[in-house]
Amino acid sequence: MTSNQNTPLLLIPGPTPVPDQVLKAINTQPLPHRSAEFSAILNDAIDNLKWLAETQNDCFIFTGSGTLAMEASIVNFINPGDSVLALNIGVFSERLAQIAQGITDNVITLKAESGCAIELDQVELALSQNKNIKAVLITHNETSTAVMQNLPALAKICQKHNALTIVDAITSFAASPVLITEWGLDVVITGSQKALMLPPGLSIIFVSKRAWEYVGKNKNPKFYLDLNKYKKSMLNKTTPFTPNVSLIAGLNVALKLIAENGKEATYDRHLKLRKLVRSLSQKYDFELLVEDESIASPSVTAFKAADRITVSDLRSNLKNNHNIIIADGQNDLKGKIFRVGHMGYMFEADILRLDKALGQILA
Ligand SMILES: Cc1ncc(COP(=O)(O)O)c(C=O)c1O
């Protein structure tokens, strides 16, 4: 977005600003979902998502937020008693592990310190020592700590040990490459209100051939989240339940904007924004939570609170006097860090607006 002082600037890790073209596509009378017109839109959306993820794996769209897709990514693939390895690097990876713990007692957790990724050697060791691990739960971009993990390297280790990769790419997808086929990812989820530049309400799941074998053996009771229903319906280019027809129409416009701009240029813009946001740490003397740039998220940056202003005062000053919204830390990090989202429809001018506001507040 090119900033306008009258519009609240959402520098949070979702919901994110929505382009006017997308808003226009959403803001129309809904199409009947059992119609040829809507089937064509749905088909395009699936094709466009596969294009972005560079895969021919199955792809389904749920009506519900990212957490619904998180639950679907577990309940269809993990059986009671299965061993699962969870890589816990913050709030959202912990949530994925919690969902798995609701199904199986055998969740082994590797936990990183705040602002760190899990070491690859630790994953290798855990999988070597526990030969029966069926799946590894990976949060690609951990929004609560602004850490991005080395997904292709993690996936390689999982493949070596024949463990399914279940990947939360909710805040990396469309901000950074998520190359499902090239990296050999099995189950990948994302959500609408992040770098896909839509309002909240849709979540997406990609399922590999290998992952379908797990679905075939799955015994959990499920109805709305049963992937078999989605697969069967897609044969007729439809969904098992009433989908959010408006957001799916908007999704096509958002993906068209990404295509027009270019995938690589979009990823590059996120890296440039990351650099610009991280440079504010030196300028205003705020420590970065993630010092190592090689694991720094391209879509959100976390700064440690400094003595001279509380996170709460900084956030309210930005909101009340500058119409800029930034995020607090979550759980244990509440009040200790603040987070600046820079994902989706976000440009240098937006970060410069934040820079100017910080300059005035901290003068
Ligand atoms: C990495 C990650 N996973 C999962 C979620 C949960 O998504 P939702 O809030 O859409 O349910 C979020 C939300 O911020 C997230 O950032």
Side-chain angles (χ1 to χ4, degrees):
M1 134 155 104
T2 294
S3 276
N4 164 353
Q5 294 289 346
N6 301 321
T7 330
L9 174 58
L10 293 184
L11 292 180
I12 54 174
T16 59
V18 177
D20 285 344
Q21 300 96 311
V22 176
L23 285 176
K24 203 171 147 209
I26 294 169
N27 192 18
T28 56
Q29 291 293 338
L31 283 174
H33 63 297
R34 306 289 180 217
S35 64
E37 291 88 338
F38 179 69
S39 282
I41 289 174
L42 177 67
N43 214 42
D44 276 355
I46 300 291
D47 282 352
N48 292 334
L49 287 165
K50 288 181 181 179
W51 163 79
L52 190 55
E54 302 190 19
T55 191
Q56 283 308 314
N57 286 0
D58 285 324
C59 172
F60 307 104
I61 301 174
F62 298 118
T63 300
S65 81
T67 307
L68 181 132
M70 290 171 92
E71 188 148 10
S73 78
I74 301 291
V75 78
N76 284 281
F77 305 95
I78 307 299
N79 271 323
D82 281 353
S83 289
V84 171
L85 179 65
L87 309 187
N88 183 346
I89 59 168
V91 171
F92 294 104
S93 29
E94 198 168 322
R95 185 180 297 177
L96 202 53
Q98 273 171 2
I99 297 170
Q101 280 155 359
I103 290 177
T104 176
D105 290 336
N106 301 327
V107 178
I108 300 162
T109 300
L110 291 177
K111 192 168 171 16
E113 272 181 45
S114 278
C116 298
I118 302 283
E119 298 291 337
L120 298 177
D121 291 354
Q122 277 186 285
V123 180
E124 173 68 48
L125 188 67
L127 289 172
S128 307
Q129 289 176 341
N130 301 278
K131 296 281 181 212
N132 54 352
I133 287 176
K134 287 253 175 100
V136 181
L137 314 184
I138 305 168
T139 307
H140 187 196
N141 191 69
E142 174 52 69
T143 319
S144 68
T145 58
V147 169
M148 176 175 259
Q149 306 218 78
N150 184 343
L151 184 54
L154 287 169
K156 213 176 230 173
I157 298 170
C158 295
Q159 280 147 28
K160 180 175 154 202
H161 293 277
N162 206 24
L164 199 77
T165 44
I166 295 181
V167 181
D168 171 347
I170 288 180
T171 49
S172 55
F173 195 78
S176 190
V178 179
L179 304 181
I180 293 185
T181 298
E182 189 179 320
W183 297 350
L185 310 174
D186 292 301
V187 181
V188 176
I189 57 165
T190 191
S192 56
Q193 77 275 21
K194 312 289 187 183
L196 282 172
M197 309 184 290
L198 287 161
L202 295 182
S203 51
I204 290 147
I205 190 165
F206 292 90
V207 183
S208 74
K209 240 187 211 150
R210 190 156 79 107
W212 276 115
E213 291 170 24
Y214 282 56
V215 176
K217 294 179 199 148
N218 192 266
K219 301 186 184 85
N220 296 315
K222 52 200 171 297
F223 194 91
Y224 193 75
L225 297 181
D226 183 357
L227 285 177
N228 290 303
K229 290 188 174 64
Y230 289 81
K231 188 171 190 171
K232 197 167 157 214
S233 294
M234 266 321 281
L235 294 174
N236 295 317
K237 297 190 173 45
T238 188
T239 53
F241 314 109
T242 313
N244 191 322
V245 291
S246 311
L247 287 185
I248 293 173
L251 174 61
N252 276 338
V253 176
L255 289 164
K256 195 166 154 243
L257 290 177
I258 294 175
E260 281 169 6
N261 186 51
K263 265 189 261 196
E264 293 310 322
T266 301
Y267 302 147
D268 212 44
R269 176 165 49 83
H270 282 85
L271 290 179
K272 286 192 178 125
L273 292 178
R274 174 179 79 176
K275 192 168 174 208
L276 193 56
V277 174
R278 283 173 72 83
S279 75
L280 299 177
S281 85
Q282 273 204 324
K283 186 163 181 186
Y284 297 109
D285 200 18
F286 283 112
E287 244 180 280
L288 290 162
L289 180 64
V290 181
E291 281 166 21
D292 176 358
E293 196 176 81
S294 71
I295 56 160
S297 165
S299 58
V300 56
T301 296
F303 299 88
K304 292 185 191 171
D307 287 341
R308 63 193 190 283
I309 187 162
T310 65
V311 170
S312 160
D313 285 348
L314 179 64
R315 290 182 67 233
S316 48
N317 198 328
L318 280 170
K319 177 171 188 281
N320 298 333
N321 300 324
H322 301 273
N323 217 0
I324 296 174
I325 319 294
I326 63 165
D328 203 335
Q330 291 171 284
N331 296 1
D332 292 353
L333 289 174
K334 193 167 171 56
K336 297 191 178 145
I337 61 166
F338 60 92
R339 293 171 301 146
V340 175
H342 36 94
M343 63 182 81
Y345 199 49
M346 193 67 62
F347 300 90
E348 195 179 317
D350 300 306
I351 306 306
L352 294 179
R353 181 169 154 195
L354 172 71
D355 182 1
K356 194 170 160 204
L358 285 175
Q360 287 176 14
I361 294 167
L362 299 167

